[in-house]
Amino acid sequence: MSESCSHDCSNCSKDCSERDFRAHLNEMSNVKKVIGVVSGKGGVGKSLVTGMLSVLANRKGFSTAVLDADITGPSIPKMFGVTKKATCFNDKLIVPSKSKTGIQIMSINLLLENDTDPVVWRGPIIAGAVKQFWTDVVWGEVDYMFVDMPPGTGDVPLTVFQSLPLDGIIIVTSPQDLVSMIVGKAVKMAGMMNIPVLGIVENMSYLTCPDCGKKLNVFGESNIEAVAKSFNIDLIAKLPISPDFARLCDSGNIEDFSGDYLDIMSDTISK
């Protein structure tokens, strides 16, 4: 890689296949496994899946952390009921906050004076902040870190894919006709970066009638199995439309959720 490299690959003709953009952890941190949670579009429930997977890992006794890479739309602290701000260590590093069960959390909202303050930054600055959440945070010993990414394939997902040692990604989608396109974008980006796709979570897959127990396909019949097969992805999980999930997230009690919806996926990740 040239010393004059601008790190903007979109208009570069050089063959830099062997370059390494990996960011290095500080000496006070050791993260063993990093899982990214992604989607080709917003509003499908990436943060919910990130939160639930981290809770399941924590319940198994693993040291767990969540890096909230969705800088302009952070929701992880609210979901976990974390209001204590991140603190400074030695005037250089950041100490993350912890949830009530000990999950470490780093999010831009833990640095802002007010949770409702907007982050009006351009892409490169946002991407730089995410990178600092990896390099400048005192994570300590972490078995599993889950990275909640913003939607799409822009600056932040690219930064995470290039800078963090991802062991794999989980793709989150919803049961609509454009699901194939959404999944395809995420799968192809992962392929370009040589990151394995561990599985797909279809959120809002169905609604269970409270009276008769019948599963209602609110958004139409799911074709997630066919889509997963077309991309050679074996592991699929389905989350229902659940008032309980919404209530737990809104009240900051996601750690109290119940149900085995993601158990198989969690078991696969933690092998």
Side-chain angles (χ1 to χ4, degrees):
M1 181 173 63
S2 169
E3 293 182 358
S4 62
C5 178
S6 66
H7 301 287
D8 180 5
C9 304
S10 60
N11 297 311
C12 182
S13 60
K14 295 184 179 296
D15 181 9
C16 299
S17 57
E18 296 183 358
R19 61 187 165 186
D20 187 3
F21 290 137
R22 292 284 176 87
H24 299 289
L25 286 168
N26 57 75
E27 62 183 11
M28 301 183 68
S29 302
N30 178 35
V31 180
K32 297 177 183 177
K33 200 165 187 177
V34 184
I35 308 296
V37 183
V38 309
S39 178
K41 70 180 294 293
V44 296
K46 292 182 303 301
S47 297
L48 173 64
V49 172
T50 302
M52 293 175 73
L53 287 174
S54 66
V55 170
L56 289 174
N58 189 56
R59 287 176 181 175
K60 294 177 182 178
F62 294 112
S63 175
T64 309
V66 177
L67 191 161
D68 188 356
D70 195 351
I71 300 295
T72 59
S75 56
I76 293 295
K78 169 72 173 176
M79 185 181 299
F80 281 87
V82 173
T83 58
K84 182 181 178 182
K85 301 298 183 181
T87 56
C88 186
F89 180 83
N90 280 352
D91 295 325
K92 294 181 180 179
L93 300 177
I94 303 170
V95 179
S97 298
K98 286 188 178 183
S99 72
K100 63 184 181 182
T101 64
I103 297 174
Q104 296 191 82
I105 294 174
M106 188 64 231
S107 172
I108 193 67
N109 264 14
L110 300 179
L111 299 176
L112 300 175
E113 184 176 353
N114 301 301
D115 290 349
T116 56
D117 289 345
V119 178
V120 189
W121 297 345
R122 294 192 183 277
I125 299 177
I126 294 175
V130 170
K131 194 172 180 178
Q132 284 186 288
F133 283 177
W134 172 255
T135 60
D136 296 354
V137 171
V138 181
W139 292 109
E141 293 290 330
V142 173
D143 295 315
Y144 290 93
M145 174 181 285
F146 295 90
V147 182
D148 183 19
M149 286 199 247
T153 55
D155 288 326
V156 172
L158 179 60
T159 296
V160 172
F161 275 62
Q162 288 185 325
S163 301
L164 274 60
L166 288 176
D167 293 279
I169 62 169
I170 301 295
I171 299 174
V172 184
T173 187
S174 57
Q176 296 160 309
D177 288 341
L178 47 70
V179 62
S180 181
M181 178 190 71
I182 297 170
V183 173
K185 287 180 181 292
V187 169
K188 291 177 181 178
M189 184 176 185
M192 291 170 63
M193 302 294 172
N194 296 315
I195 305 295
V197 177
L198 303 178
I200 297 178
V201 176
E202 183 180 73
N203 190 28
M204 300 176 284
S205 184
Y206 58 89
L207 173 67
T208 302
C209 176
D211 296 323
C212 67
K214 181 179 179 180
K215 290 184 179 180
L216 307 175
N217 298 314
V218 178
F219 295 108
E221 291 291 335
S222 170
N223 66 339
I224 192 64
E225 285 83 4
V227 172
K229 184 177 180 180
S230 69
F231 291 110
N232 296 314
I233 302 171
D234 296 326
L235 188 59
I236 302 171
K238 294 184 178 182
L239 289 176
I241 299 172
S242 172
D244 288 337
F245 290 163
R247 175 180 54 80
L248 290 172
C249 290
D250 288 345
S251 63
N253 292 303
I254 188 61
E255 289 163 295
D256 296 335
F257 88 88
S258 60
D260 59 0
Y261 312 104
L262 294 178
D263 284 359
I264 295 178
M265 187 162 288
S266 177
D267 291 343
T268 300
I269 291 172
S270 59
K271 284 182 180 179

